[in-house]
Amino acid sequence: MKKTSPTIRDVAAAAGVSVATVSKYTNGSQRFSAPVEAKLKSAIESLGYRSNPLARSMITGETRTIGLAILDIRNPHFTNIVKGANRIALQNDYTLLLVDTEESQARERPLIEALAQRVDGMIVSSRMPDDSVQWMLELHKPVVLFGRNPNFPIPSVGTDSYLAAYMLARHLVNQGHRQFAYLGFGQSRWNDERIRGVQACLDEQGLTATVYDAAAPSPQAGERACSAIMLGPQRPDAVICYNDLIALGFIKEARALGFALPQDVSIAGFDNVPYGEYASPALTTVDLQSERMGELAMLKLIDALAGKSDSEYSLLEPRLVVRESTPRRAGAPHSDSTPEGRANPPRGGTSR
Amino acid sequence: MKKTSPTIRDVAAAAGVSVATVSKYTNGSQRFSAPVEAKLKSAIESLGYRSNPLARSMITGETRTIGLAILDIRNPHFTNIVKGANRIALQNDYTLLLVDTEESQARERPLIEALAQRVDGMIVSSRMPDDSVQWMLELHKPVVLFGRNPNFPIPSVGTDSYLAAYMLARHLVNQGHRQFAYLGFGQSRWNDERIRGVQACLDEQGLTATVYDAAAPSPQAGERACSAIMLGPQRPDAVICYNDLIALGFIKEARALGFALPQDVSIAGFDNVPYGEYASPALTTVDLQSERMGELAMLKLIDALAGKSDSEYSLLEPRLVVRESTPRRAGAPHSDSTPEGRANPPRGGTSR
DNA sequence: ATGAAAGCGCTAACAA
DNA sequence: TTGTTAGCGCTTTCAT
């Protein structure tokens, strides 16, 4: 067993042809005479030759690799994005290079810069402030972002968080809730939109929401935040959480504090992660189409790589998923008066 | 803005030195005179030069990239592996190249072969039969596997599934269960060990388990399998599932069928995924240290890359996590007679 | 401490 | 259809 892999020259020698011929053969970029083709085939076979993609990339300038930077692979929302992106990548003969920045703003930039050099393009999910994204434009590589950036014209995809939040609030209002709390995650770029969506809906009803902030987008942070909300002076009858993970933690802790769920309080989240369904009570949420977001981002990037410059910002439609955690309360309007499905909220600031 | 990035030659020209000097400077492989260093620094700065890692890799033969092939990024068990592996990689200045084979045996091999060419080493989680792993040895790259392979001496890591299963069965027996079902996943390389662990424990008590098989390691498959088990002639009072995901689905469906949990039946799984804790009843499971597995695999690979050939197979210790889904039944032995913590089962076939 | 030159494995004109 | 040749951007002896 050789230590070093055979090169194109070894094949050329073994087959008695030139290296150019071998190159053309492996790239299928030409037809060959029968004897040459046979020799090539057997030489490659017997040597176990495989073309070195690095050498190839150096010349062609393309690696057929896409970099994906995400905040935390453990969050099912991001997992779904990876899944979707990976599927499209594979279909187009690309490989995914993943980097998990672990919610660390400090790591983000150096990691992304390093990654960008080894790939044809990048898909980035970041918590960096909108205006410090400038440097990404200097990567000299196509980039697709999650979340719309108001300052730079970078292709991006997202789900309409304003609408999602509006829908969720509307549902809760229709179910007869009156005391709202919003447990957000201020570091996320979606948080403001969600607050605005909730407030816009509540305003119309003459209601308000008390806003709290979680330390992280995780169940642990949801647990942590629970008692201050549930045992404070303004006990809500409905809590809208920044995401399902926070909601899951909140539910668990609320129970530990002695509350009966969903009787005492309704809880809802965003993302529709796969495990909300298995919680008890099963979690009401808004499906943000995470997997589709990943697919779309990859599609956009591949288009950009092919020179087809696509529309700047693609917005996906959220879908309300009603489960057990948000039951009907006493004093709810008649069910036929404003069914959620018919609610027709105005579009928020994210739409043109 | 230039279309093409500056090369080492541009820097050399700008700084008035040779390319060799620039190379040595960027690699920090030498000391320089003050004036040269200053020129170099400013030239690199003003041109925005970044060394091309592809060209570098072609010569040095190392990419500082590790390939990780997993079966399904959506499964939290694998997510944790990725997390652990990624952390160690980053610490050692490696980047993770991820490929999700989507539980498809057909895709596995070509994907892994393609990936292996672009990386320094591979970590592979596979469902391929033990004896068709031969070709991985022909990758000419260090490989670390999950799960011990009896036929080939490949470095690998795993958790002692036999012991894990034994512990879980022992716990259930101690809690007074008598009618056992094991809902496995036959395609997994761990399944047999788990069956043996359960059976070894039950044998000692003169008990048996009815063995079922799920179609996939997913909640949906758990739901699917539930009615045949719970409504069949041999209704169990304890169901051990191949993993937590299957268990979660099983719980949901059992409830939908009208069973009260955990009163009517106890459910347990393996992996200790983060969401078992938020289910209701909270899921009893065995922590297999998924994240640690990822870390260890990466550590082993990095050792192998450094020439330090490590022990062949590293076995992690499982830990029982008792939660609400496996309560005490009538007729359980006195709690002080055989506390689980003291149970001292014999080691199974996986140990030396 | 610095530079000249020879490639790494491959592709892409251009010739034959 | 096949071969010759000149690099891609960089590292690495080996001189100086």
Side-chain angles (χ1 to χ4, degrees), chain A residues 159-170 194 197-198 270 286-288 318-320:
Chain A
T159 303
D160 190 335
S161 264
Y162 176 90
L163 177 57
Y166 190 102
M167 284 161 53
L168 194 49
R170 179 62 168 253
R194 291 183 193 172
V198 168
F270 292 83
V286 189
D287 189 334
L288 264 23
R319 187 172 71 90
L320 184 67

Side-chain angles (χ1 to χ4, degrees), chain B:
Chain B
M1 182 191 287
K2 278 210 275 305
K3 196 68 195 169
T4 164
S5 304
T7 79
I8 197 173
R9 260 185 283 268
D10 298 326
V11 176
V17 299
S18 75
V19 292
T21 303
V22 181
S23 172
K24 285 163 191 157
Y25 178 78
T26 57
N27 294 341
S29 57
Q30 206 185 270
R31 288 188 56 88
F32 296 88
S33 63
V36 171
E37 181 156 354
K39 283 179 152 193
L40 247 16
K41 200 171 172 181
S42 88
I44 287 174
E45 179 80 10
S46 69
L47 289 173
Y49 170 76
R50 323 221 67 200
S51 151
N52 178 336
L54 257 63
R56 176 169 216 287
S57 291
M58 255 194 55
I59 296 170
T60 63
E62 72 165 26
T63 62
R64 296 217 74 83
T65 291
I66 304 286
L68 175 58
I70 56 165
L71 294 161
D72 178 17
I73 187 64
R74 209 133 38 174
N75 184 329
H77 169 62
F78 294 117
T79 302
N80 281 334
I81 287 178
V82 172
K83 192 80 176 184
N86 188 56
R87 177 172 313 122
I88 301 297
L90 253 36
Q91 281 172 14
N92 290 272
D93 206 27
Y94 278 97
T95 304
L96 253 202
L97 240 155
L98 178 79
V99 59
D100 178 334
T101 54
E102 308 217 334
E103 296 272 359
S104 148
Q105 293 229 15
R107 292 185 178 208
E108 230 169 40
R109 182 166 172 175
L111 280 176
I112 293 174
E113 285 183 334
L115 192 56
Q117 294 187 271
R118 333 182 116 276
V119 299
D120 293 346
M122 292 283 309
I123 299 177
V124 176
S125 156
S126 163
R127 297 225 189 285
M128 278 187 299
D130 285 343
D131 47 345
S132 68
V133 169
Q134 171 78 54
W135 61 267
M136 281 195 207
L137 296 172
E138 287 154 17
L139 255 29
H140 296 297
K141 297 274 168 80
V143 177
V144 173
L145 251 35
F146 290 114
R148 134 107 147 226
N149 190 308
N151 305 320
F152 297 95
I154 300 186
S156 44
V157 341
T159 304
D160 191 336
S161 265
Y162 176 91
L163 177 57
Y166 189 102
M167 285 161 53
L168 194 49
R170 179 62 168 254
H171 161 68
L172 288 164
V173 166
N174 286 354
Q175 296 286 69
H177 299 83
R178 291 296 174 263
Q179 290 292 329
F180 284 80
Y182 174 77
L183 173 52
F185 174 56
Q187 290 175 61
S188 162
R189 56 190 342 109
W190 310 104
N191 195 53
D192 287 350
E193 276 187 36
R194 291 182 193 174
I195 290 180
R196 287 193 297 102
V198 168
Q199 284 180 337
C201 174
L202 296 185
D203 276 355
E204 296 172 13
Q205 316 288 328
L207 298 169
T208 56
T210 312
V211 175
Y212 300 86
D213 203 66
S218 68
Q220 291 73 27
E223 288 181 45
R224 188 92 194 46
C226 182
S227 53
I229 297 173
M230 291 301 291
L231 300 177
Q234 290 270 336
R235 190 181 126 191
D237 60 5
V239 180
I240 298 176
C241 299
Y242 167 74
N243 69 11
D244 289 350
L245 260 26
I246 292 176
L248 251 19
F250 195 98
I251 287 175
K252 186 191 170 202
E253 179 68 5
R255 285 199 152 152
L257 292 173
F259 291 96
L261 264 60
Q263 295 81 6
D264 291 340
V265 62
S266 288
I267 313 288
F270 293 83
D271 284 351
N272 191 24
V273 304
Y275 309 99
E277 185 180 348
Y278 302 103
S280 176
L283 187 65
T284 291
T285 185
V286 189
D287 189 335
L288 263 25
Q289 301 198 67
S290 319
E291 190 166 345
R292 183 79 193 122
M293 278 179 64
E295 290 181 357
L296 212 57
M298 185 57 77
L299 250 13
K300 280 203 162 210
L301 189 53
I302 288 174
D303 274 1
L305 254 16
K308 294 180 233 162
S309 195
D310 181 332
S311 59
E312 289 307 343
Y313 185 44
S314 301
L315 209 54
L316 290 171
E317 287 226 330
R319 186 173 71 91
L320 184 66
V321 178
V322 177
R323 291 197 278 244
E324 304 158 0
S325 67
T326 56
R328 199 160 195 63
R329 302 293 172 195
H334 291 299
S335 62
D336 50 315
S337 67
T338 43
E340 282 89 43
R342 307 298 169 108
N344 190 19
R347 281 306 212 74
T350 62
S351 56
R352 284 134 290 116

Side-chain angles (χ1 to χ4, degrees), chain A:
Chain A
M1 182 192 289
K2 280 211 272 310
K3 198 67 196 166
T4 164
S5 302
T7 79
I8 198 173
R9 263 187 281 272
D10 298 326
V11 176
V17 298
S18 76
V19 291
T21 305
V22 180
S23 172
K24 286 164 192 156
Y25 178 78
T26 57
N27 293 340
S29 58
Q30 209 184 265
R31 288 187 58 87
F32 297 87
S33 64
V36 171
E37 181 157 353
K39 282 179 152 190
L40 246 18
K41 199 171 173 181
S42 88
I44 287 172
E45 179 81 8
S46 69
L47 289 172
Y49 169 76
R50 324 219 67 199
S51 152
N52 178 336
L54 258 61
R56 176 170 216 288
S57 291
M58 254 195 54
I59 294 169
T60 63
E62 69 164 28
T63 62
R64 296 218 72 86
T65 290
I66 305 288
L68 175 57
I70 56 167
L71 295 161
D72 178 15
I73 186 66
R74 208 129 45 172
N75 184 329
H77 169 63
F78 294 116
T79 303
N80 282 334
I81 287 179
V82 173
K83 192 79 176 185
N86 188 55
R87 178 173 313 120
I88 301 297
L90 253 36
Q91 282 172 13
N92 290 272
D93 206 27
Y94 279 97
T95 304
L96 252 203
L97 239 156
L98 180 78
V99 60
D100 179 334
T101 54
E102 307 215 336
E103 297 271 359
S104 147
Q105 292 228 17
R107 293 187 177 205
E108 229 170 40
R109 182 167 171 174
L111 280 176
I112 292 174
E113 285 182 334
L115 192 58
Q117 295 191 80
R118 332 181 116 278
V119 300
D120 293 346
M122 293 281 310
I123 298 176
V124 177
S125 154
S126 163
R127 297 225 190 283
M128 279 187 299
D130 285 342
D131 47 345
S132 69
V133 167
Q134 172 79 54
W135 61 267
M136 281 195 205
L137 296 171
E138 285 154 18
L139 255 29
H140 295 298
K141 297 274 167 82
V143 176
V144 173
L145 250 36
F146 290 112
R148 132 108 147 228
N149 190 307
N151 305 321
F152 296 96
I154 301 185
S156 46
V157 341
T159 303
D160 190 335
S161 264
Y162 176 90
L163 177 57
Y166 190 102
M167 284 161 53
L168 194 49
R170 179 62 168 253
H171 161 68
L172 287 164
V173 167
N174 287 354
Q175 295 287 70
H177 299 82
R178 292 295 174 265
Q179 290 291 329
F180 285 80
Y182 174 77
L183 174 52
F185 174 56
Q187 290 175 60
S188 161
R189 55 186 346 105
W190 310 105
N191 195 52
D192 286 349
E193 276 188 36
R194 291 183 193 172
I195 290 181
R196 288 194 297 103
V198 168
Q199 285 180 337
C201 175
L202 295 185
D203 277 354
E204 295 172 12
Q205 316 287 327
L207 298 169
T208 57
T210 311
V211 175
Y212 300 87
D213 203 67
S218 68
Q220 290 73 28
E223 288 181 43
R224 189 89 194 46
C226 182
S227 53
I229 297 174
M230 292 301 292
L231 300 177
Q234 291 271 336
R235 190 180 128 193
D237 59 6
V239 181
I240 298 177
C241 300
Y242 168 75
N243 70 10
D244 289 350
L245 260 28
I246 291 175
L248 251 20
F250 194 98
I251 287 176
K252 185 191 172 202
E253 180 68 4
R255 284 200 154 150
L257 293 174
F259 292 95
L261 265 60
Q263 294 80 8
D264 291 340
V265 61
S266 288
I267 313 289
F270 292 83
D271 285 352
N272 192 24
V273 305
Y275 308 99
E277 186 180 351
Y278 301 103
S280 176
L283 186 65
T284 290
T285 186
V286 189
D287 189 334
L288 264 23
Q289 300 199 69
S290 319
E291 190 166 346
R292 184 76 192 125
M293 277 179 63
E295 291 181 355
L296 212 56
M298 186 56 78
L299 251 12
K300 278 199 167 219
L301 189 53
I302 289 174
D303 273 0
L305 256 15
K308 294 179 233 164
S309 194
D310 183 331
S311 57
E312 288 309 341
Y313 184 43
S314 300
L315 208 55
L316 290 171
E317 287 228 328
R319 187 172 71 90
L320 184 67
V321 178
V322 177
R323 291 197 279 244
E324 303 158 2
S325 66
T326 56
R328 198 161 195 63
R329 302 290 171 198
H334 291 298
S335 63
D336 50 315
S337 67
T338 43
E340 283 88 46
R342 305 300 168 107
N344 192 17
R347 281 308 211 72
T350 63
S351 56
R352 281 135 288 119

